[in-house]
Amino acid sequence: MSDTQGRGSTSPLPGGDTFPPPTALAEAANVGADAYERAAADRLGFWADAARRLEWAQQWDEVLDWSNPPFAKWFVGGKLNVAVNCVDRHVAAGHGEQVAYHWVGEPGDTRTITYAQLQDAVCQAANALTSLGVQAGDRVAVYLPMIPEAVVTMLACARIGAVHMVVFGGFSSDALASRITDADAKVVVTADGGYRRGAPSALKPAVDEALTKLGDAVRSVLVVRRTGGDVEWTEGRDVWWHELVDAQPTTHAAQAFDAEHPLYIMYTSGTTAKPKGILHTSGGYLTQVAWSHHAVFDLKPDTDVYWTAADVGWVTGHSYIVYGPLANRATSVMYEGTPETPHRGRWWEIVQEYGVTVLYTAPTTIRTFMKWGDDVPAGFDLSSLRLLGSVGEPINPEAWLWYHANIGGGRCPVVDTWWQTETGGHMITPLPGVTATKPGSAQVPLPGISARVVDEAGEPIEPGATGYLVLTEPWPSMLRTIWGDDDRYVDTYWSRYGKTVYFAGDGAKLDEDGDIWLLGRVDDVMNVSGHRISTTEVESALVSHPTVAEAAVVGATDATTGQGIVAFVILRGNAVDSGDELVAELRQHVRKEIGPIASPRQIMVVAELPKTRSGKIMRRLLRDVAENRELGDVTTLTDSSVMDLIGAKLPGTP
Ligand code: ATP
Ligand code: MG
């Protein structure tokens, strides 16, 4: 990190230049600076106010029970139905005709779903699941493409108190099988297939294969017809959605569940180790995702068109495609496919067509757009946009500025939201009407959230120094445990600094203004000749070179320096790979940006990087390559052939 080099070395804005909130947005913002004061004076009172934005069937007796840390209970004694909060109450309030989702299929087919239609569909699916024997507390595996039935299934589970466990449609049958086993799911909801990169991509065969390995653990498979492709059929187990669900009544009497009733299990993306089944519950989770969606995206239900361009199989999809937006009565866009299908302007065409006002996506996608060139978005009318968000990894200043200028037209605040599967909702982020944004920094904890950067001993660090990010108070949407493994829950998150301090696993530094800069996972910090250097900082330096679109950096064991820096770079669309000359230039560039110690031992130009479906670079696999090891668990990779291409590039031992 910064043992040897100056602060903010990767910031292109020396002197801490920032972008103040646009005046009109600030004046009309849902949440102003007073929220910080209110939460600082009475944190639990602040969260109780946030919970009152929801409809409770029974009021809680106590906001937080933290008597047995790290096992928290929020809104103790309260009862609510999550699906009713997301759908029925809006219909009851006269908004049934409002569009909940403008859904866009990859081949160009579209569906418009109002809140009233969503209510009918959720009731039918709830009745269907009940007819399959699903009861409150049972787990339902969901393995679907980005189609409305994914949202409907999640809400139907919530409605009957079943626990959904969504697995990315792109994961292999092995990944699916291990998650079904871990969660002990009895029912799987899937589709014949979905569309990706311009072609139907089958899903059902992966389910069939997974279930072959699992004996008769799974009772029923509910299958949505999406592509119309041929499917193998197991009589007595497989049921078509259109036959079972469509025949159900569109009414369903929803029962209220305890605030701590389990809502879902979501496996983390597995960038560092075996995926963990993160358990989220009902009242606190919905409170925080709804409030943060309202505050951070300044969501105006009557006028905004909101788009989280992510997959529902990722926690971002759960919190900010489904639960947060619906709880706030948002009109959302949902897109099935990939950004380059059928052309590289597909997203911008969607923004133009639907008048999208708020767009939320990941830095990896933003860098891909940078690689494709400025002229692609320039060909569309993006003037409806008023706010942009980023999530998933640190956004390097170069990409932030590109997003701000080329997508946001220089007028939209960019909110860089730090959070995790485990935190359930946003934790550290600017507020668009309050915070002067700073490219590359997630900046400040939200009102009601207590975050710190500490050293090895748990002491707060000085500005300029680097340390570990911790959360010092429980928060409503926190994970409650790792499914079936309380010990791993305690060990992973609550043991390093005691049972009341959450160890996030991310490195961070504080600048002179007290703003937090995330530096990536602690496991991704390299040690070169005794200097701790963050992969994020070296990657940011590489990406700030005009030829580089994307970079992944790992530390590989080195006999002399402990670890040596190995960089994998993807070039921008118009850049020429001049071989050794380019490598020398990039090395020189990193020396200048950070310092000689950070200069990579090896730089390889590659066409693709190994990523999870949520767009995160799997550095541990690159480390395996750089150290000539057999690859670790690749089940969460989008496309495992990427690793063969990269392996072939590597010239033996470095
Ligand atoms: P695993 O824990 O299984 O290795 P994962 O951490 O990638 O997987 P997620 O919960 O999806 O799974 O990702 C959370 C992590 O993503 C954070 O811990 C952080 O490292 C990174 N992250 C997310 N948003 C941001 C952000 N805005 N800035 C910096 N880092 C971010
Ligand atoms: Mg993680």
Side-chain angles (χ1 to χ4, degrees):
M1 298 191 219
S2 319
D3 299 9
T4 49
Q5 54 273 0
R7 273 188 287 283
S9 49
T10 52
S11 169
L13 302 166
D17 282 357
T18 54
F19 294 83
T23 315
L25 192 152
E27 277 168 3
N30 287 350
V31 173
D34 54 315
Y36 293 101
E37 288 155 36
R38 163 90 176 106
D42 178 8
R43 189 173 60 89
L44 296 183
F46 166 84
W47 284 121
D49 287 350
R52 282 185 205 100
R53 299 182 66 248
L54 306 176
E55 183 180 290
W56 294 78
Q58 188 176 309
Q59 186 56 78
W60 56 88
D61 309 312
E62 195 186 1
V63 175
L64 169 67
D65 175 359
W66 191 228
S67 58
N68 178 30
F71 298 94
K73 291 188 182 132
W74 282 86
F75 307 109
V76 185
K79 285 190 195 304
L80 80 172
N81 186 290
V82 168
V84 166
N85 269 279
C86 289
V87 185
D88 301 47
R89 73 175 165 134
H90 305 316
V91 177
H95 299 290
E97 297 313 303
Q98 182 180 332
V99 173
Y101 293 101
H102 292 288
W103 177 81
V104 182
E106 199 189 72
D109 50 335
T110 59
R111 281 164 73 183
T112 304
I113 299 154
T114 64
Y115 274 93
Q117 290 166 337
L118 187 59
Q119 184 179 31
D120 288 353
V122 171
C123 288
Q124 287 184 308
N127 289 323
L129 290 174
T130 304
S131 79
L132 294 175
V134 178
Q135 295 180 355
D138 290 352
R139 274 79 59 203
V140 173
V142 182
Y143 186 66
L144 282 169
M146 277 287 286
I147 55 177
E149 285 80 0
V151 179
V152 170
T153 303
M154 290 163 72
L155 292 168
C157 288
R159 193 170 182 102
I160 62 173
V163 182
H164 57 74
M165 190 274 287
V166 181
V167 179
F168 272 134
F171 283 0
S172 65
S173 67
D174 282 348
L176 178 63
S178 69
R179 284 162 178 74
I180 290 174
T181 304
D182 191 69
D184 192 19
K186 300 284 179 229
V187 170
V188 179
V189 183
T190 188
D192 50 1
Y195 289 90
R196 284 199 82 72
R197 295 184 205 287
S201 150
L203 277 178
K204 177 82 169 30
V207 176
D208 292 334
E209 198 183 318
L211 298 194
T212 310
K213 293 173 202 147
L214 302 183
D216 49 11
V218 168
R219 227 173 24 226
S220 310
V221 179
L222 185 56
V223 190
V224 178
R225 188 149 68 195
R226 165 68 184 132
T227 59
D230 288 340
V231 288
E232 300 269 324
W233 206 253
T234 302
E235 284 305 331
R237 185 196 73 184
D238 298 351
V239 198
W240 282 113
W241 177 286
H242 58 265
E243 287 176 4
L244 181 70
V245 180
D246 292 357
Q248 300 294 319
T250 55
T251 52
H252 174 267
Q255 178 195 338
F257 293 97
D258 194 89
E260 284 298 339
H261 188 79
L263 180 63
Y264 69 81
I265 300 167
M266 165 100 262
Y267 289 83
T268 55
S269 60
T271 45
T272 47
K274 177 175 171 278
K276 303 172 274 282
I278 303 300
L279 179 71
H280 283 292
T281 60
S282 304
Y285 173 79
L286 196 63
T287 294
Q288 187 168 338
V289 299
W291 186 82
S292 56
H293 181 260
H294 164 80
V296 176
F297 298 122
D298 192 39
L299 198 281
K300 309 282 199 250
D302 295 325
T303 48
D304 274 321
V305 178
Y306 174 84
W307 185 15
T308 289
D311 198 292
V312 285
W314 181 24
V315 72
T316 301
H318 283 49
S319 299
Y320 299 107
I321 293 178
V322 182
Y323 291 111
L326 292 177
N328 290 328
R329 187 172 50 88
T331 293
S332 292
V333 164
M334 186 174 168
Y335 172 54
E336 178 186 30
T338 47
E340 67 267 54
T341 311
H343 58 81
R344 291 176 166 184
R346 185 70 191 268
W347 277 27
W348 317 123
E349 193 175 70
I350 292 173
V351 168
Q352 175 177 289
E353 161 115 20
Y354 291 94
V356 172
T357 56
V358 181
L359 176 68
Y360 190 34
T361 189
T364 177
T365 318
I366 298 164
R367 287 189 300 264
T368 302
F369 291 134
M370 282 173 77
K371 179 172 71 180
W372 291 345
D374 304 358
D375 51 319
V376 180
F380 297 87
D381 178 4
L382 306 182
S383 61
S384 57
L385 288 168
R386 66 180 194 95
L387 182 58
L388 301 174
S390 172
V391 58
E393 55 177 317
I395 175 161
N396 40 294
E398 194 73 19
W400 194 107
L401 291 168
W402 185 91
Y403 192 33
H404 185 257
N406 292 277
I407 306 305
R411 72 186 176 275
C412 306
V414 176
V415 288
D416 174 8
T417 60
W418 179 88
W419 60 295
Q420 308 176 303
T421 308
E422 293 88 340
T423 70
H426 296 156
M427 301 296 281
I428 301 175
T429 168
L431 279 182
V434 180
T435 320
T437 52
K438 197 183 268 184
S441 170
Q443 299 187 280
V444 284
L446 278 175
I449 299 301
S450 308
R452 277 207 184 150
V453 186
V454 299
D455 63 16
E456 293 283 350
E459 295 301 322
I461 58 156
E462 294 296 317
T466 59
Y468 306 103
L469 182 69
V470 296
L471 303 168
T472 53
E473 297 286 354
W475 62 100
S477 63
M478 64 193 275
L479 75 168
R480 298 305 195 260
T481 189
I482 292 176
W483 182 256
D485 201 345
D486 286 350
D487 290 344
R488 192 174 178 204
Y489 169 66
V490 177
D491 286 353
T492 310
Y493 307 108
W494 306 93
S495 56
R496 190 140 173 168
Y497 299 112
K499 284 201 171 162
T500 57
V501 176
Y502 175 87
F503 175 65
D506 281 353
K509 73 179 173 188
L510 276 184
D511 69 15
E512 297 293 342
D513 302 325
D515 283 323
I516 299 173
W517 294 69
L518 277 309
L519 298 172
R521 285 171 197 69
V522 173
D523 312 36
D524 289 337
V525 173
M526 303 170 289
N527 193 327
V528 183
S529 306
H531 299 282
R532 295 190 312 144
I533 300 172
S534 116
T535 51
T536 301
E537 283 185 306
V538 181
E539 286 164 7
S540 239
L542 285 165
V543 174
S544 73
H545 188 275
T547 58
V548 177
E550 183 142 38
V553 164
V554 298
T557 310
D558 187 293
T560 42
T561 58
Q563 278 189 315
I565 302 177
V566 179
F568 301 80
V569 299
I570 298 181
L571 301 185
R572 288 207 198 191
N574 53 1
V576 201
D577 180 2
S578 57
D580 291 350
E581 204 178 306
L582 175 69
V583 167
E585 192 182 318
L586 292 178
R587 271 213 192 93
Q588 186 51 35
H589 181 71
V590 176
R591 288 174 89 91
K592 180 169 89 12
E593 290 288 304
I594 307 182
I597 190 75
S599 175
R601 174 182 85 184
Q602 205 178 345
I603 299 180
M604 272 166 286
V605 177
V606 293
E608 293 287 349
L609 290 168
K611 285 183 189 161
T612 64
R613 274 291 291 282
S614 60
K616 288 177 199 296
I617 297 167
M618 301 262 267
R619 290 190 189 72
R620 65 175 167 79
L621 294 181
L622 292 173
R623 237 175 351 249
D624 290 345
V625 170
E627 295 181 344
N628 279 315
R629 246 199 321 271
E630 207 174 307
L631 294 183
D633 182 16
V634 291
T635 54
T636 60
L637 212 55
T638 335
D639 173 8
S640 49
S641 66
V642 164
M643 291 313 298
D644 304 335
L645 287 176
I646 292 173
K649 267 257 172 190
L650 207 72
T653 354

